[in-house]
Amino acid sequence: MTAQLIDGVKTAERIRSNIKDEVAEWIAGGNPAPGLATVLVGENPASQVYVRSKQKACGEAGIESYGFNLPGTATQEEVEALVRQLNADPKVNGILVQLPLPAGLDEEKVLREIKIEKDVDGFHPLNIGRLAQKGREPLFIPCTPYGCMVLLEETGIKLSGAKAVVLGRSNIVGMPVALLLVRADATVTICHSRTKDLPAVVCEADVLVAAIGKAEMVRGDWVKPGAVVIDVGINRVEDASKTKGYRLVGDVAFDEVKEVAAFITPVPGGVGPMTIAMLLQNTLRAAKMSK
Ligand code: NDP
C-alpha cells in the first residue's frame, strides 16, 4: 500500500486564507486589528528565524505584530516586567514568548506571568491544566499539537475508540498531543526514552504521533498496516548533495512507512507549516474574546 499524503502546506494555506478573510471582516466591523507581541530574549539564530516567520505570517493575515527583543543578559525581573507591560496593553491580544529562554531564566515563571486570555501559545500552566481535566476548556491549545489534531481531522478517520500511540512526552508537543487525543476519545499510550520494546508498542497504533527528535527512528516494520502517521520531528541529516550540506527528515523513515500506513505527513511540509497557522488562529480568537 502507498499511503495518502496529509498535506500540511495546503491545509495551513487554507487556514491562513480563512483567517485573513476573518481578520478583514473583523476590522471592517470597526474593530482594531488583532495584535500579537513576540518576546525574544537573546540571540539564538533559530529563535530569530521562528520569530521573523511568525511576524511575517501575521502581516500576511492582517494581524499587527509587535516585536520586543531583550538582550541575552536580561534578568528574570526584566522579562517578567515586559510581559506585565504587554498584559496591560490593549493593542496586544496575544503574547508569544519564544522558547527556549537563555539559561538562567525561569521559563515556567515567565509563562505563568502571561495573562491567560493572551496566552496564544497555550503554555500557561492554567491552560495546560484545563486541557488535562475533564469538562474544563483551555482558552488556547498549544499550536503544534493543535496542528496535529487538525491534520488528523483532514484524514476523516474516527479517533473515538482508536488506539493512539504518542512518541515523546515533552511539554510543548508530546504531552499536549496525548491530552488532545484523550479528549477526542482515543485510547492513548505515551512513550518516552524509558519505554521498553518501542516497536511492539508502536505496532498496536491505529494513530501514531512521533515527536522525539530522532532522525527516521520509526521504521516501516514497526507500523501497523493502515495506520495514520503524524510525524512532528524535524531533524537535520548530512547530505552532501544539498547546497546547505544537510536535509530535513522526520522521526519516521518516510519511504518505508509510506508503504505500510494509510496516511502520512511528510517532513518538511506536514506538521511544520501548521504551527504558525494555529498561532494566527489563536491570536484571532484572543482578539475576539477581548471584546
Ligand atoms: P524534546 O527533546 O523536548 O522531547 C523529546 C521526547 O522524546 C522526550 O519525551 C523523550 O523522552 C522522547 N525520546 C527521546 N529519545 C527517545 C527514544 N529513543 N525513544 C523514545 N522516546 C524518546 O523534543 P520536542 O518535543 O520539543 O520536539 C520533538 C521533535 O519535534 C523535534 O524533532 C522537534 O524539532 C520537533 N518539533 C517540531 C515542531 C513543528 O513542527 N512546528 C514544533 C516543536 C517541535 P524523555 O521524556 O524520557 O526524555
Side-chain angles (χ1 to χ4, degrees):
M1 183 200 303
T2 300
Q4 227 173 293
L5 270 194
I6 312 173
D7 190 337
V9 174
K10 253 199 201 148
T11 308
E13 266 171 21
R14 193 187 68 226
I15 292 171
R16 286 170 64 165
S17 156
N18 290 343
I19 292 170
K20 187 176 176 178
D21 293 347
E22 261 188 75
V23 168
E25 208 178 300
W26 176 249
I27 295 171
N31 299 293
L36 175 72
T38 55
V39 176
L40 177 61
V41 187
E43 275 158 23
N44 178 329
S47 293
Q48 288 172 333
V49 171
Y50 291 141
V51 166
R52 268 200 303 273
S53 54
K54 287 167 187 175
Q55 290 170 336
K56 183 165 171 267
C58 279
E60 286 166 9
I63 293 174
E64 282 297 336
S65 66
Y66 306 97
F68 294 85
N69 296 348
L70 293 178
T73 52
T75 63
Q76 183 78 26
E77 182 44 36
E78 282 166 341
V79 182
E80 289 181 24
L82 173 57
V83 170
R84 282 194 293 274
Q85 176 198 320
L86 299 172
N87 280 341
D89 186 340
K91 293 193 303 299
V92 170
N93 300 114
I95 302 171
L96 181 140
V97 176
Q98 186 64 43
L99 302 178
L101 289 173
L105 292 175
D106 184 338
E107 222 162 76
E108 157 85 8
K109 262 186 95 206
V110 171
L111 294 179
R112 225 184 312 146
E113 207 58 56
I114 299 174
K115 203 171 161 189
I116 181 175
E117 291 83 1
K118 297 191 178 190
D119 177 38
V120 288
D121 240 352
F123 293 145
H124 189 290
L126 259 179
N127 269 325
I128 293 287
R130 287 185 183 181
L131 191 64
Q133 290 184 318
K134 199 176 163 77
R136 307 270 163 84
E137 289 302 324
L139 292 183
F140 302 100
I141 296 168
C143 303
T144 302
Y146 191 1
C148 293
M149 296 307 286
V150 172
L151 291 180
L152 282 172
E153 217 174 272
E154 288 289 297
T155 68
I157 63 143
K158 189 168 163 237
L159 288 174
S160 177
K163 277 192 190 166
V165 171
V166 178
L167 304 183
R169 57 176 166 182
S170 73
N171 290 342
I172 56 171
V173 192
M175 192 54 77
V177 166
L179 294 172
L180 286 164
L181 286 164
V182 170
R183 289 175 86 89
D185 295 329
T187 302
V188 182
T189 304
I190 303 171
C191 301
H192 44 76
S193 64
R194 309 295 165 91
T195 300
K196 290 188 179 139
D197 199 358
L198 207 53
V201 183
V202 169
C203 81
E204 293 281 309
D206 303 311
V207 173
L208 176 66
V209 181
I212 47 181
K214 302 278 175 226
E216 301 181 317
M217 190 170 132
V218 177
R219 312 308 307 190
D221 58 2
W222 294 23
V223 173
K224 181 174 173 177
V228 178
V229 178
I230 305 289
D231 189 354
V232 187
I234 302 176
N235 310 287
R236 280 184 185 188
V237 293
E238 275 183 35
D239 186 340
S241 71
K242 303 281 174 196
T243 36
K244 286 182 179 161
Y246 68 85
R247 68 193 152 88
L248 294 181
V249 298
D251 291 340
V252 171
F254 182 84
D255 287 339
E256 293 179 15
V257 174
K258 78 173 183 357
E259 297 304 323
V260 187
F263 292 93
I264 187 168
T265 58
V267 176
V271 177
M274 295 298 289
T275 300
I276 288 184
M278 303 333 288
L279 173 68
L280 301 178
Q281 180 91 69
N282 279 349
T283 305
L284 175 58
R285 176 174 158 79
K288 290 191 171 175
M289 277 183 345
S290 73
K291 213 183 166 190

